Amino acid sequence: MSVQFVPRRSEERGHADHGWLKTFHTFSFATYQNGGHEKFGCLRVINEDRVEAHTGFGTHGHREFEIFSYVISGELEHGDSMGNREVLKRGDVQMTSAGTGIRHSEHAHGDKQVHFLQIWSIPSQSGLTPQYFTRHFTEEEKNDKWARIVAPVGSDGVVEKREASGPAPIHSPLAFYASLISPSTTLPHILPSSPAQRKAYLHVIQKSGYNPGKASGGRIQLSSSDGNTLELQEGDGAYIMGDANAKFDVKNVGDHVAEVVLFDLE
């Protein structure tokens, strides 16, 4: 069973330093437009954002996207037109199913910068009623194993309630995993059993700080049973294409814990 890896190097991502916001764009977003990196399956946006204390994104609108934020450090204050308002901390995820339209804002809460991933996917159907979900994950749930953070509506263990255990529900054919991988540790991942050809995307979170140059920090290696390998550093990502049920390994080849997120896509 074949698995192919295509690197998306950190220094090749779109990036901007607005003072209050330092951001990277894996796919075309705002003023960064790259025809070679528009989307991948239903995955449309992966922004790695750092928002300075007492600043943030003012109220703005969205529709027809599934939007979720995964907090890496600091605290993120969310408010929206559905009446939801809360502060998210490390390991928390909030999912906004924008559907026919919502307005929301996101700000750094407290006196520290907030570092988070903002992710958008294309829903499987249009015209959905807007919904909001929050989930909380501990470090232990991610230590040297894959924690399933987001999964499609109707999947095993997925509850369509605002607050619940298990992954947040998403109206897209996408599952999102996170892990904290210790040095010299290898985590396997098996691509789902259908359809016959699968996609995945892996990203190494840039814990070493905002750096628009060549990636540094933690290192991992991807390898497949058919001999393909790829080494990534913090900020790097990889497009992954493979057969259903094919396995690949993610090994920490650096000297400190690597924080890694993985998307399974049809």
Side-chain angles (χ1 to χ4, degrees):
M1 292 183 180
S2 174
V3 180
Q4 301 294 319
F5 308 119
V6 177
R8 178 67 164 129
R9 298 298 180 189
S10 183
E11 69 270 24
E12 297 171 355
R13 292 185 291 173
H15 62 88
D17 182 350
H18 300 289
W20 67 273
L21 168 68
K22 296 177 175 64
T23 183
F24 286 97
H25 309 309
T26 295
F27 303 108
S28 293
F29 189 86
T31 59
Y32 171 68
Q33 296 297 311
N34 185 326
H37 301 280
E38 290 285 346
K39 64 185 183 72
F40 192 52
C42 66
L43 187 58
R44 177 60 186 85
V45 170
I46 306 174
N47 289 348
E48 187 164 2
D49 290 340
R50 289 172 169 83
V51 176
E52 296 303 321
H54 311 297
T55 69
F57 301 95
T59 301
H60 58 283
H62 293 288
R63 60 186 301 142
E64 303 300 355
F65 276 109
E66 305 287 284
I67 300 171
F68 60 100
S69 297
Y70 178 71
V71 180
I72 300 157
S73 65
E75 298 182 347
L76 180 69
E77 182 176 351
H78 168 94
D80 64 41
S81 55
M82 294 179 282
N84 300 294
R85 182 167 297 279
E86 67 180 325
V87 175
L88 304 159
K89 300 179 180 180
R90 172 165 171 76
D92 291 350
V93 62
Q94 66 88 4
M95 166 68 70
T96 299
S97 182
T100 54
I102 59 97
R103 293 178 64 77
H104 77 167
S105 63
E106 291 180 304
H107 291 83
H109 179 79
D111 295 326
K112 294 182 179 180
Q113 179 193 80
V114 61
H115 178 197
F116 68 104
L117 297 181
Q118 181 184 162
I119 299 153
W120 300 11
S121 74
I122 301 166
S124 300
Q125 64 184 96
S126 61
L128 293 168
T129 300
Q131 291 178 282
Y132 179 83
F133 306 98
T134 306
R135 299 293 185 266
H136 314 277
F137 296 89
T138 65
E139 303 293 278
E140 176 58 32
E141 289 176 282
K142 294 176 285 186
N143 284 340
D144 295 329
K145 50 185 175 284
W146 295 115
R148 191 170 56 137
I149 308 296
V150 170
V153 169
S155 300
D156 289 345
V158 176
V159 179
E160 281 194 88
K161 292 183 179 179
R162 187 190 184 285
E163 288 271 356
S165 60
I170 189 169
H171 299 89
S172 301
L174 175 156
F176 171 69
Y177 299 86
S179 183
L180 300 168
I181 308 177
S182 302
S184 302
T185 298
T186 299
L187 280 188
H189 182 74
I190 298 174
L191 296 172
S193 58
S194 66
Q197 296 297 310
R198 297 290 311 188
K199 298 181 178 75
Y201 190 87
L202 184 140
H203 175 69
V204 187
I205 293 173
Q206 194 181 63
K207 300 289 288 293
S208 53
Y210 178 77
N211 170 23
K214 188 173 176 59
S216 59
R219 295 185 297 124
I220 66 159
Q221 183 183 73
L222 302 178
S223 59
S224 66
S225 57
D226 53 344
N228 292 317
T229 63
L230 176 66
E231 187 168 303
L232 304 173
Q233 292 188 279
E234 290 186 8
D236 288 343
Y239 295 101
I240 301 169
M241 289 76 67
D243 299 325
N245 295 314
K247 182 177 80 73
F248 63 89
D249 290 327
V250 184
K251 181 178 181 179
N252 186 341
V253 293
D255 57 6
H256 57 271
V257 172
E259 189 160 6
V260 177
V261 296
L262 174 66
F263 303 82
D264 258 334
L265 306 159
E266 289 188 2

